[in-house]
Amino acid sequence: MLRSAGECWAITDDAAGNQRQALALAERLAMPVRHLVLEPRAPWSWFAPRLLSGGRLALPAAQRELFAPPWPVAAIGCGRAAALFTRMLRRLSDGDCFTVQILDPRIDPGEWDLVIAPRHDELAGPNVLHPVGSLNPVDDAWLDDAREAFPALGELPGPRLGVLLGGPRRGIPMDAGYARALGDAVRRQIAGNGGSAMVVASRRTPSSLCDAVGHAVRDLPGLFWRGPSDGPNPYPGVLGWANRLLVTPDSVNMLSEACAVGCPVETLAPAPLPPRIASFHRTLRDGGWLGDGGPAAGPLRETATLAARVSQAIRARHPDIDAS
């Protein structure tokens, strides 16, 4: 069996959220990490991760040379497309590759060695780990680096309100009324607490939401980043320098990262939220991570603990590999 010495593959599609989760876990394992961005072609893309026949033919010709032996010691996938390839690796390597899948693969989790699915997915199985939120790199060292990378944000008047804008999803429309309400909420916070507003949009943020919040903060100290035309994305710096955070309710990833900072985190959520998102919000509130601006319960940081569990399992299969 050809095997890459001590290597871990992080397999994702091009979705930033999936890449962030897979790499956050892989980079905690103290193993060489190879990031593969793989996009299955039809019909495999329609049925992933169910359709295994055809093997590497699931990939466009230009990507097949990436997904080839020697196989890694471990593979971490995030997202439905990646689940096809982590599932394949378990078979292609005759079980030698330790496979981890992040997010509910929508089939039997026993097809992987470990599955990491957030608690609100309600996925059951003896090999399933249940974090509260999504995996992410946010810890004290990451926040220190973020502040160092964006020192100008630290010169803004305090307290600094970080505003993280996502976008609409099924059951969370973020219409014009919501956009106005969010803009008003930002103004009220600055009027009541003073300081400045640091607003960051995402690729999913509609122009109507940007326009409404932009209008609300137009005369306030701070910054508003709409996209690459405004320069480097200051998102890490906003997390690093924020004294409090206001996050739209749609993104599990953004809310998880905000709650990992350790400052008070709020959201403005239309009612009712979709059941799974509502369950996630309820867990955050019950744990004291998401509130109405009161003291934070302490940072929600789960990635290091999960990485320790994964490392232990990899070492059990490969005692000669240092994955600690």
Side-chain angles (χ1 to χ4, degrees), residues 28 134-140 142-143 235 239 245 252-263 265 284 289-290 296 298-303:
R28 289 268 186 174
S134 63
L135 284 70
N136 60 75
V138 181
D139 59 16
D140 288 344
W142 188 92
L143 292 169
Y235 177 85
L239 292 185
L245 288 159
V252 172
N253 285 353
M254 284 200 310
L255 279 165
S256 298
E257 294 189 359
C259 290
V261 172
C263 68
V265 179
L284 292 180
W289 297 294
L290 180 65
L300 173 65
R301 297 179 183 173
E302 304 175 279
T303 306

Side-chain angles (χ1 to χ4, degrees), residues 270-286:
L273 288 169
R276 287 177 61 253
I277 293 292
S279 175
F280 173 56
H281 281 230
R282 187 163 51 251
T283 300
L284 292 180
R285 291 189 186 279
D286 290 347

Side-chain angles (χ1 to χ4, degrees), residues 199-217:
V199 186
V200 181
S202 71
R203 289 188 294 181
R204 296 189 304 108
T205 307
S207 58
S208 59
L209 186 57
C210 280
D211 291 344
V213 178
H215 179 76
V217 303

Side-chain angles (χ1 to χ4, degrees), residues 85-282:
F85 301 109
T86 49
R87 186 183 178 202
M88 280 185 187
L89 273 170
R90 199 178 188 195
R91 301 186 182 197
L92 290 170
S93 69
D94 296 325
D96 188 66
C97 176
F98 189 91
T99 56
V100 181
Q101 184 59 34
I102 302 170
L103 301 180
D104 184 355
R106 307 299 176 90
I107 63 173
D108 180 7
E111 293 288 334
W112 293 266
D113 292 298
L114 282 177
V115 172
I116 300 173
R119 196 175 301 174
H120 59 267
D121 276 352
E122 299 181 346
L123 180 66
N127 66 326
V128 179
L129 304 180
H130 300 100
V132 170
S134 63
L135 284 70
N136 60 75
V138 181
D139 59 16
D140 288 344
W142 188 92
L143 292 169
D144 285 343
D145 289 344
R147 286 188 286 268
E148 184 176 343
F150 294 91
L153 299 186
E155 299 174 6
L156 293 174
R160 291 175 290 272
L161 172 66
V163 183
L164 310 182
L165 305 180
R169 56 181 292 173
R170 183 178 299 177
I172 308 178
M174 293 194 187
D175 55 15
Y178 178 84
R180 287 192 299 270
L182 184 64
D184 290 343
V186 175
R187 283 202 74 85
R188 283 195 303 273
Q189 287 226 23
I190 301 302
N193 300 316
S196 54
M198 306 179 294
V199 186
V200 181
S202 71
R203 289 188 294 181
R204 296 189 304 108
T205 307
S207 58
S208 59
L209 186 57
C210 280
D211 291 344
V213 178
H215 179 76
V217 303
R218 66 192 184 282
D219 57 349
L220 300 178
L223 68 86
F224 191 171
W225 189 88
R226 290 172 176 259
S229 62
D230 291 335
N233 189 341
Y235 177 85
V238 169
L239 292 185
W241 288 107
N243 300 112
R244 57 200 317 113
L245 288 159
L246 176 61
V247 188
T248 56
D250 52 288
S251 173
V252 172
N253 285 353
M254 284 200 310
L255 279 165
S256 298
E257 294 189 359
C259 290
V261 172
C263 68
V265 179
E266 303 172 59
T267 189
L268 180 67
L273 288 169
R276 287 177 61 253
I277 293 292
S279 175
F280 173 56
H281 281 230
R282 187 163 51 251

